Amino acid sequence: LHKNCYIKSYMRISIEFSFNTWFIGGFGGTVVCLNASCISPPSRGKLSGLLVFCLAESFKEQGNAYYSKKDYSQAFNYYTKAIDACPKNASYYGNRAATLMMLCRFREALEDSQQAVRLDDCFMKGHLREGKCHLSLGNAMAANRCFQKVLELEPSNREAQQEKNNAATLLEYQRMADFGFEKRDFRKVVYCMDRALALASACHRFKILKAECLALLGRYPEAQSVASDILRMDSTNADALYVRGLCLYYEDCIDKAVQFFVQALKMAPDHEKARLACRNAKALKAKKEEGNQAFKNNNYEAAYQLYTEALAIDPNNIKTNAKLYCNRATAGAKLKKVDQAIEDCTSAIKLDDTYIKAYLRRAQCYMDTEQYEEAVRDYEKVYQTEKTSDHKQMLKKAQMELKKSKRKDYYKVLGVGKNATEDEIKKAYRKRALMHHPDRHSSATPEVQKEEEKKFKEVGEAFTVLSDPKKKVRYDNGHDLEDDGCFDGGDFDANNIFRAFFGGHSGGFTFDSSPDSGPGNFFFQFG
């Protein structure tokens, strides 16, 4: 070197031009001091490029040091400085791509990897990193092409072969998920997407598909969580906005859902799913409100029809449809379509087994049709869920009716209603007692005689209870008359009741027992 030039150890990195003296320093290396006057003009340009390259290399070395310490943010900064100093060097882009991958910034890493292989098509690590970025972002076909390029450059590269296999596996999970979605097997889709995301962790498309299927399965909190994670990174993601709206729509928050669908359509006007969901949400809300208004106006037929039309809009909206089934059941009960109302309540419960209102409506229908065991089961379910005094009272009433139903139904024995008057009870007893009196069936077979005698006794027993105001009240309230000492069936004699009713003239009746006689063919004659 010229006497005005020197080399010495130095820890600072810099390049300076001052008074015809150039300084370039290396990290932990050396500083070269050159006097420009010692260099011929044609050589100065070449030397300047060499010095810039040396500076870029020093930045790269510092980046490598920070990368090895896992300080990826600092490593990124120094690799960026190296690129700024020497933007045509493929390895600098490759190193920054590796750093960006560690920071999970795969899209930026992909751009750097692609730039690296554009600068040097034989840069094997660049192709490998590009393939990994494509794979992480869910583009298995592009990833496969990159790994194939690596194997062409280096056929024995095991890492490229393994990643190529991973790309093939990802394609298979995509195929299975597409088939599952078409068949509405949403659990299968979630299963496939979970495994696909293990290979493509940065793929928003897979996350959105998983979230959509979770929503369709009714797992709304999980779906909301996935969509929210994406929106935190990209607030304009139309797919994530659509899924958020879908969750709200399926949770019967229709107004809020519409807001998200509209926002998604602003971000992506051609988003067909958001457009369809928005249309369904508006139609469902309008039809349901029409039905509610018709019901309030006591127009039960119209309400029933409107609820039916609303149920046809979107079979996937489980929560809203459960309410619609229950509403239709209420309208059906008003129209005396009790069996259909029970079916509608059952449909509502199948869609939402926590829907208390549907259990209560079905229980009332069971009570109305005297299906007390079923009513008790429903009221027990309600009381276990919500232990209110009203629900407890309903359960007790159903249990009492069930107990009463297991006793002899004296009203049914006499063929009268539960609100029958005293005169109606007497008339009924007179008719049934004469119809089943043993003397009337004296010429019948022993089996018929035995059956008619049994019915005759039941008629007398029923009359004894229902004609006595105190016994009737206790019977109606579900009390066991034998346990209360109000009625002892063992001492009961139907003939005594018959004689007392007809004024002691039981022996004065003559019954026509000819084969042609009917239930009313009897006459009596006083002796």
Side-chain angles (χ1 to χ4, degrees):
L1 290 174
H2 189 274
K3 63 180 181 180
N4 292 329
C5 302
Y6 61 86
I7 301 175
K8 70 173 183 177
S9 297
Y10 204 66
M11 296 296 293
R12 188 168 58 88
I13 304 171
S14 66
I15 181 166
E16 301 175 14
F17 300 89
S18 177
F19 300 105
N20 291 326
T21 302
W22 300 348
F23 297 93
I24 178 167
F27 180 77
T30 61
V31 169
V32 179
C33 176
L34 297 174
N35 191 316
S37 63
C38 303
I39 307 171
S40 63
S43 301
R44 289 180 187 178
K46 295 180 180 179
L47 185 57
S48 175
L50 175 61
L51 293 177
V52 170
F53 173 72
C54 290
L55 178 62
E57 281 291 300
S58 71
F59 286 139
K60 186 191 80 168
E61 290 302 320
Q62 289 184 81
N64 290 347
Y66 282 116
Y67 187 94
S68 65
K69 294 177 184 178
K70 298 184 180 180
D71 188 346
Y72 302 117
S73 295
Q74 281 286 45
F76 172 81
N77 291 335
Y78 279 100
Y79 289 140
T80 300
K81 289 180 180 181
I83 290 171
D84 290 342
C86 193
K88 299 297 184 182
N89 189 301
S91 67
Y92 298 165
Y93 287 99
N95 285 8
R96 191 169 71 172
T99 304
L100 287 165
M101 290 170 69
M102 297 307 295
L103 292 169
C104 297
R105 292 160 59 179
F106 292 101
R107 293 193 183 279
E108 296 170 78
L110 178 61
E111 292 175 7
D112 274 358
S113 298
Q114 290 173 330
Q115 179 62 17
V117 297
R118 275 195 294 268
L119 292 169
D120 182 0
D121 189 50
C122 294
F123 184 28
M124 185 269 295
K125 287 186 178 179
H127 288 294
L128 186 62
R129 286 168 185 154
E130 182 188 357
K132 287 183 177 181
C133 290
H134 279 307
L135 192 63
S136 294
L137 293 167
N139 192 343
M141 296 290 287
N144 186 69
R145 288 194 295 270
C146 294
F147 298 137
Q148 184 60 43
K149 178 66 175 179
V150 174
L151 291 171
E152 290 173 7
L153 294 170
E154 189 180 309
S156 61
N157 191 304
R158 292 184 179 180
E159 186 178 6
Q161 186 58 59
Q162 180 58 51
E163 294 293 355
K164 192 170 185 290
N165 293 340
N166 288 342
T169 301
L170 185 62
L171 281 172
E172 179 60 18
Y173 282 133
Q174 286 181 255
R175 186 195 65 78
M176 292 168 63
D178 290 341
F179 181 77
F181 194 89
E182 183 181 344
K183 297 297 182 182
R184 303 186 65 77
D185 187 353
F186 302 125
R187 286 185 177 82
K188 181 67 170 290
V189 178
V190 171
Y191 171 87
C192 291
M193 287 300 95
D194 279 337
R195 276 140 192 82
L197 284 166
L199 298 169
S201 59
C203 182
H204 286 181
R205 181 164 48 89
F206 293 168
K207 291 178 182 179
I208 289 295
L209 180 57
K210 175 185 175 180
E212 183 178 0
C213 290
L214 287 171
L216 291 167
L217 289 168
R219 294 160 62 178
Y220 308 122
E222 295 172 76
Q224 289 269 31
S225 177
V226 174
S228 296
D229 287 343
I230 294 173
L231 288 171
R232 273 191 289 272
M233 293 182 283
D234 178 9
S235 62
T236 64
N237 189 298
D239 291 325
L241 290 168
Y242 159 70
V243 171
R244 283 291 303 275
L246 195 66
C247 291
L248 291 166
Y249 170 57
Y250 286 153
E251 289 182 293
D252 201 33
C253 300
I254 293 180
D255 289 334
K256 288 184 179 179
V258 169
Q259 292 175 10
F260 274 96
F261 295 143
V262 170
Q263 193 175 352
L265 289 167
K266 286 180 180 178
M267 298 299 107
D270 295 329
H271 201 296
E272 192 56 37
K273 287 184 177 180
R275 187 184 306 282
L276 177 61
C278 190
R279 185 167 65 243
N280 283 346
K282 291 178 178 179
L284 196 57
K285 180 186 177 185
K287 194 67 71 174
K288 181 182 175 185
E289 289 178 349
E290 284 183 60
N292 292 346
Q293 189 58 51
F295 188 89
K296 288 178 183 177
N297 294 337
N298 298 324
N299 191 347
Y300 304 124
E301 283 286 0
Y304 191 93
Q305 182 59 34
L306 286 164
Y307 291 140
T308 300
E309 292 173 10
L311 282 164
I313 292 173
D314 186 1
N316 293 323
N317 196 322
I318 293 172
K319 208 156 192 174
T320 301
N321 286 347
K323 292 180 180 180
L324 288 169
Y325 273 118
C326 192
N327 287 2
R328 192 171 73 172
T330 305
K334 292 287 186 180
L335 295 168
K336 308 302 181 185
K337 299 178 180 180
V338 183
D339 290 339
Q340 182 60 49
I342 291 173
E343 288 183 20
D344 279 347
C345 289
T346 301
S347 296
I349 291 167
K350 284 180 180 178
L351 293 176
D352 182 2
D353 62 1
T354 66
Y355 192 16
I356 295 299
K357 192 174 181 181
Y359 284 104
L360 290 172
R361 168 56 54 194
R362 187 171 70 174
Q364 185 57 56
C365 289
Y366 282 141
M367 292 289 286
D368 293 342
T369 53
E370 299 183 359
Q371 300 179 64
Y372 300 120
E373 287 188 9
E374 290 81 356
V376 167
R377 278 200 299 270
D378 278 352
Y379 282 130
E380 284 176 341
K381 173 71 175 179
V382 170
Y383 187 64
Q384 287 169 4
T385 306
E386 294 182 0
K387 289 181 167 58
T388 68
S389 57
D390 287 343
H391 294 161
K392 185 177 182 179
Q393 191 62 36
M394 291 175 184
L395 175 58
K396 281 187 174 182
K397 182 179 179 182
Q399 289 171 333
M400 180 63 72
E401 291 299 326
L402 175 61
K403 180 181 177 182
K404 287 162 63 175
S405 70
K406 293 182 180 297
R407 307 171 307 171
K408 290 178 183 177
D409 187 341
Y410 291 145
Y411 291 101
K412 191 174 289 185
V413 169
L414 292 181
V416 296
K418 292 183 179 181
N419 296 319
T421 64
E422 184 179 349
D423 286 342
E424 288 172 336
I425 290 171
K426 287 180 179 180
K427 288 179 181 179
Y429 171 71
R430 176 187 179 86
K431 178 180 178 181
R432 294 295 174 110
L434 293 173
M435 183 185 299
H436 299 297
H437 195 285
D439 289 352
R440 184 172 183 277
H441 303 280
S442 58
S443 61
T445 63
E447 291 79 8
V448 171
Q449 288 183 20
K450 186 176 181 179
E451 182 63 25
E452 292 299 326
E453 183 178 358
K454 178 182 175 182
K455 290 180 179 179
F456 178 69
K457 289 180 178 180
E458 287 179 347
V459 167
E461 185 179 326
F463 180 70
T464 299
V465 172
L466 298 182
S467 62
D468 185 312
K470 291 183 179 180
K471 290 180 181 179
K472 183 176 183 298
V473 168
R474 297 189 66 78
Y475 174 79
D476 288 342
N477 289 334
H479 293 285
D480 192 323
L481 300 181
E482 292 186 11
D483 290 345
D484 291 345
C486 297
F487 177 71
D488 186 354
D491 296 333
F492 175 77
D493 188 336
N495 287 310
N496 289 338
I497 300 299
F498 186 87
R499 283 192 291 271
F501 184 84
F502 288 102
H505 298 295
S506 62
F509 291 105
T510 302
F511 292 91
D512 180 4
S513 57
S514 66
D516 296 329
S517 64
N521 292 338
F522 56 82
F523 62 92
F524 49 90
Q525 173 182 342
F526 295 104

